[in-house]
Amino acid sequence: PSLNSTYWSLFEAAGGPENVAAILGRPHGYIGADDGSAPAGLRFDCALKLRTLDAEYPEPMRMQSVPGGNFLLTRHIGAYDKLPDAVDRLLLAALAVPELAIADEPMLFHYIDDPETTEEAALRTDVYLKISD
């Protein structure tokens, strides 16, 4: 619920949902939990890719670039509270390949669908895991 209200605040600061090209998120830490809840103390960057950018934006908003490079990607379809399962599968796949080294970067979630207009079971989220070069 607090993430949802944070995203709505971002939409308002960005000039409304029509100015949003992508809804993104970056957890700083492991999000997995048996009950789908976030662990205590988890920091999560709520982010938007905007269609147009004004020169000024309100605090505590800030501009941040996502570093390029190589990523492993999985697509999760369904409720957001099941994202930890997709993260676990992605991490297991990465760890199963000895030649891959996971970068010390937060994962990136790209929330493709608008949860206000898309049925929960059909929500698509791409989860990116940065791999060291």
Side-chain angles (χ1 to χ4, degrees):
S2 63
L3 285 178
N4 190 35
S5 66
T6 300
Y7 277 111
W8 275 110
S9 296
L10 286 175
F11 291 154
E12 290 174 16
E18 59 278 355
N19 192 33
V20 176
I23 304 169
L24 307 164
R26 296 185 82 189
H28 295 268
Y30 181 66
I31 69 162
D34 290 340
D35 65 356
S37 65
L42 175 69
R43 223 178 82 232
F44 192 94
D45 291 335
C46 297
L48 302 175
K49 178 180 179 186
L50 303 178
R51 297 183 194 285
T52 61
L53 179 63
D54 290 334
E56 296 182 24
Y57 40 88
E59 290 293 330
M61 290 178 69
R62 62 184 162 85
M63 181 70 70
Q64 181 176 344
S65 297
V66 174
N70 295 315
F71 293 83
L72 291 181
L73 165 67
T74 190
R75 174 164 287 175
H76 169 73
I77 300 176
Y80 294 147
D81 65 354
K82 298 297 182 190
L83 274 168
D85 296 336
V87 167
D88 286 346
R89 288 189 303 274
L90 185 59
L91 288 169
L92 283 172
L95 293 170
V97 181
E99 305 82 48
L100 291 181
I102 298 171
D104 187 19
E105 291 281 335
M107 289 185 182
L108 176 68
F109 296 160
H110 177 194
Y111 303 102
I112 298 168
D113 301 301
D114 179 351
E116 298 291 319
T117 60
T118 305
E119 181 180 323
E120 185 178 62
L123 290 170
R124 297 170 297 160
T125 305
D126 283 345
V127 182
Y128 293 85
L129 176 64
K130 179 95 188 271
I131 302 299
S132 294
D133 296 327

